[in-house]
Structures are given as structure tokens and as C-alpha cells.
């Protein structure tokens, strides 16, 4: 069984990414459970989604130290999600930092040494925003992240492409498939494949 936690802020496509993962896993004949926590998503608040899949899944809950894979669409959300990552799990993070309102108004400060913490966790930092702009739109950053994630999952590329095709707006299919392939190529290159 594989347990995943996806985290981000409203508007980053975290939930869409979870649906693509779920559909790709179902295409491969796996049992899938998804749980979404929206919070204040429409106002840029935290969003987290748990995806669990395998031969037979009884719970979608991913507790502390149980996530095989944590995907964060922002570095700060990656820090918040770190407790969920199990020893030896994979951490894949969009290299973007979105400052919360409390930081922007001076009521709070950003954590110290975020880069050091993520490095110690062996995070793969993905330039998802920049890569998405290269293929046509920063709105595809979540699909760039899916491409990177696909390299650490045992699901076929055809299942991924089909799931992307089924879940993005029809006019954006080609651009999103290109974004997926760019994220996959980046992760493969970083891992020396």
C-alpha cells in the first residue's frame, strides 16, 4: 500500500493533482481512497489531500510518520507536512515560497533555515512554476509536480497521461501533458536516470 500526502495553498491545484494520482492508480487496477481538507482554500489557506492506494485500502488517513510520499506545492507547506513523512519516504517540493498573511503583515516570521531543513530531509526541489511558464502557463505547475512525482511511483506513464487528459480542461490537455513530461524529465535528470 502507498500513502501520500499532498499539501499546498488554495489555488495551486493540490486537489486536482490528487484526483490525477487517484485516477492513474485506478487505471492500474488499484483500490484508491482520497481525503481532502480544504480549510480556507479559496482565500489562499492551507489545503491538504491524502491519497492511499494499493490492492485493498481500508482507510485514507495518513498519520505522522506514515506517508511514503509527501508532495508539497510550497516550501513552507513542506515544512508543515514533514512530520507525516515516514523514514525513507520521498519528499517532492515545488521550490516556491508563499508567505502567509501573518508574515506579510509583520505579525509572524518565516522559519529559519528552510533550505537546510528540506536538504536534511532529502527533498527534491522542483522549479515547477518556471517549468510551467516554459510550457505555456504557470497554472500547469501542479502537473509539472505530478511529472516529478511519477518518477517515484510504480504507475505506468500511459496511466498518468490518461489521468492528466481526463482531469484538466480540454483546451489545456496538450500543454498539461507537456508540463507532465517536463516535470518527469527534470526529476529523472536530478536522480541521474
Amino acid at each position: 500500500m502507498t500513502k501520500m500526502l499532498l499539501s499546498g495553498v488554495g489555488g495551486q491545484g493540490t486537489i486536482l493533482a490528487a484526483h490525477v494520482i487517484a485516477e492513474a492508480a485506478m487505471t492500474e487496477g488499484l483500490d484508491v481512497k482520497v481525503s481532502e481538507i480544504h480549510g480556507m482554500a479559496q482565500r489562499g489557506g492551507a489545503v491538504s489531500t491524502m491519497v492511499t492506494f494499493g490492492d485493498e485500502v481500508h482507510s485514507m488517513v495518513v498519520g505522522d510518520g506514515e506517508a511514503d510520499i509527501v508532495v508539497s506545492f510550497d516550501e513552507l507547506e513542506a515544512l508543515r507536512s514533514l512530520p507525516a513523512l515516514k523514514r525513507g519516504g520521498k519528499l517532492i517540493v515545488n521550490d516556491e515560497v508563499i508567505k502567509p498573511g501573518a508574515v506579510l503583515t509583520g505579525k509572524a516570521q518565516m522559519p529559519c533555515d528552510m533550505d537546510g531543513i528540506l536538504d536534511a530531509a532529502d527533498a527534491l526541489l522542483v522549479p515547477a512554476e518556471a517549468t510551467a511558464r516554459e510550457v505555456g502557463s504557470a497554472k500547469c505547475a501542479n502537473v509539472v509536480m505530478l511529472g516529478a512525482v511519477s518518477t517515484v511511483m510504480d504507475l505506468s506513464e500511459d496511466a498518468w497521461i490518461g489521468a492528466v487528459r481526463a482531469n484538466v480542461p480540454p483546451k489545456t490537455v496538450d500543454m498539461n501533458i507537456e508540463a507532465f513530461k517536463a516535470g518527469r524529465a527534470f526529476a529523472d535528470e536530478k536522480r541521474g536516470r
Side-chain angles (χ1 to χ4, degrees):
M1 183 177 337
T2 300
K3 293 186 172 195
M4 298 181 68
L5 174 65
L6 290 78
S7 62
V9 297
Q12 289 187 299
T14 307
I15 293 170
L16 175 93
H19 288 225
V20 170
I21 293 166
E23 184 149 338
M26 286 188 293
T27 299
E28 298 282 291
L30 299 170
D31 187 21
V32 180
K33 301 278 189 279
V34 178
S35 173
E36 303 166 359
I37 301 171
H38 299 261
M40 296 292 286
Q42 292 182 357
R43 298 178 187 258
V47 177
S48 63
T49 306
M50 293 169 243
V51 181
T52 304
F53 59 90
D55 291 332
E56 190 173 351
V57 178
H58 298 287
S59 172
M60 73 284 272
V61 176
V62 179
D64 283 354
E66 292 183 350
D68 298 289
I69 304 167
V70 171
V71 182
S72 292
F73 293 83
D74 164 76
E75 289 186 22
L76 186 57
E77 291 304 317
L79 294 183
R80 289 185 187 152
S81 300
L82 261 179
L85 188 64
K86 77 178 189 181
R87 187 180 307 263
K90 303 293 184 191
L91 176 62
I92 300 173
V93 183
N94 180 1
D95 69 358
E96 184 177 14
V97 177
I98 299 174
K99 293 183 179 177
V103 171
L104 294 173
T105 61
K107 294 179 180 176
Q109 294 182 344
M110 293 294 286
C112 295
D113 196 24
M114 286 176 39
D115 291 337
I117 295 167
L118 293 175
D119 189 48
D122 198 26
L124 172 64
L125 293 176
V126 180
E129 299 288 326
T131 303
R133 280 192 292 277
E134 287 174 13
V135 300
S137 173
K139 292 181 179 180
C140 296
N142 60 337
V143 180
V144 172
M145 292 296 292
L146 288 172
V149 170
S150 74
T151 66
V152 298
M153 297 176 68
D154 193 22
L155 301 174
S156 72
E157 187 171 356
D158 287 344
W160 283 105
I161 300 282
V164 168
R165 186 179 304 281
N167 283 279
V168 301
K171 291 180 182 179
T172 69
V173 166
D174 291 340
M175 181 172 46
N176 275 287
I177 290 173
E178 192 175 340
F180 174 84
K181 289 180 177 181
R184 191 172 174 104
F186 172 83
D188 278 342
E189 182 180 322
K190 280 300 224 185
R191 290 198 162 84
R193 289 185 185 174

